Amino acid sequence: MIIILLGPPGAGKGTQAQRLEREHGLKQLSTGDMLRAAAKSGTDVGLRAKEVMDRGELVSDDIVVQIIAEALTREECVNGYILDGFPRTVAQAGALDAMLEQRGVKLDAVVEIVVPEDVLVERISGRFACAKCGATYHDTFHRPKTDGVCDVCGAHEFVRRDDDRPDAVRQRLKVYKAQTEPLLPYYRERGILIRIDGDRPMDAVAAEIDRALGIENLEPPECDGDDGTGTAG
Ligand code: AMP
């Protein structure tokens, strides 16, 4: 199964993609995570991408298309995958169509997670993640059980994304409206767009996504481990 998760920053794409990977064995392919990893490892492309990301703007189509093209060849994608944060422009959507056609596979569904803007800003401004395993938390809605200790791996260090600052968040929301929302009619016309109300507790959103995709009773396949590097997006 091949799925796109679409939605503005803070809609919960990363959280749902991580869950779909954990529960259903669909590999999460997050271009944001891949770009952050490239920036962290200090590659030329990564460092240039980081400047653009920190301003809340989009990295060039060429770079992200190349990153995804490489990811699609990985063994871990054989059970299907979730594109989290890709495509974000009409040009990227066209490039994806060409890649899928070349591989002889088709897109099953595009899930749009809809959340009001004031809720998005509140969610993004409080979020942080474990520096070691990537588990995600929120200052108000989801603090670690013991302050300063990751529930999942016990680490003591946490990180906040540089592009979660208010000015970058405003820019990211603007960019979403201008460059990514035009993808909605593109997929609606193909009859594969599913709208989900994302302004509800995570489990309710999860259940509705699974129902809409018809995978609510699907067992996870026996498969490879999780690299646990996700950050909410
Ligand atoms: P995300 O983690 O999905 O919120 O992405 C964080 C940032 O990475 C975005 O604000 C962009 O600067 C960059 N980015 C992620 N995915 C893409 C993409 N498909 N196209 C262009 N830029 C991207």
Side-chain angles (χ1 to χ4, degrees):
M1 184 171 247
I2 301 173
I3 300 162
I4 292 175
L5 284 186
L6 260 183
K13 300 185 298 294
T15 304
Q16 292 299 335
Q18 284 173 18
R19 181 195 63 82
L20 284 162
E21 176 169 305
R22 210 170 44 239
E23 293 180 4
H24 299 298
L26 300 168
K27 181 74 192 158
Q28 175 194 19
L29 296 178
S30 157
T31 38
D33 282 350
M34 293 178 211
L35 289 166
R36 279 185 287 277
K40 204 168 165 190
S41 61
T43 62
D44 228 31
V45 169
L47 293 176
R48 269 185 284 134
K50 182 165 170 31
E51 278 179 32
V52 178
M53 292 162 78
D54 286 353
R55 290 200 302 270
E57 286 168 13
L58 292 186
V59 174
S60 78
D61 290 336
D62 288 356
I63 290 177
V64 286
V65 167
Q66 204 181 326
I67 285 178
I68 283 290
E70 189 276 322
L72 294 189
T73 64
R74 291 188 211 146
E75 177 80 8
E76 61 205 10
C77 288
V78 294
N79 294 323
Y81 43 90
I82 310 143
L83 295 160
D84 161 13
F86 179 92
R88 261 175 155 102
T89 65
V90 172
Q92 290 177 20
L96 176 65
D97 285 344
M99 282 187 270
L100 295 182
E101 197 182 329
Q102 200 185 12
R103 306 182 74 78
V105 291
K106 71 171 188 30
L107 195 53
D108 293 280
V110 178
V111 177
E112 178 197 6
I113 307 182
V114 184
V115 178
E117 193 161 319
D118 53 337
V119 177
L120 294 172
V121 172
E122 192 183 18
R123 280 188 188 176
I124 295 174
S125 51
R127 70 184 181 181
F128 60 99
C130 172
K132 190 164 168 221
C133 75
T136 50
Y137 299 96
H138 191 280
D139 291 327
T140 313
F141 309 122
H142 177 36
R143 301 187 64 82
K145 289 190 185 85
T146 306
D147 259 351
V149 183
C150 175
D151 295 347
V152 178
C153 75
H156 293 259
E157 230 187 286
F158 296 88
V159 285
R160 288 180 194 261
R161 283 171 45 169
D162 290 330
D163 60 352
D164 280 350
R165 293 183 333 270
D167 56 330
V169 170
R170 274 193 296 277
Q171 181 60 20
R172 285 160 66 200
L173 289 170
K174 228 194 269 176
V175 165
Y176 179 78
K177 282 208 177 88
Q179 304 208 50
T180 309
E181 274 189 358
L183 294 183
L184 298 173
Y186 180 79
Y187 291 121
R188 190 176 300 120
E189 277 157 26
R190 285 164 54 175
I192 53 171
L193 184 69
I194 298 168
R195 265 174 78 95
I196 302 281
D197 174 6
D199 187 16
R200 291 177 301 158
M202 200 192 96
D203 288 350
V205 177
E208 196 187 330
I209 290 177
D210 285 6
R211 247 193 327 271
L213 294 174
I215 56 172
E216 66 270 46
N217 299 316
L218 199 71
E219 290 295 317
E222 282 176 31
C223 73
D224 38 40
D226 174 10
D227 66 10
T229 52
T231 357

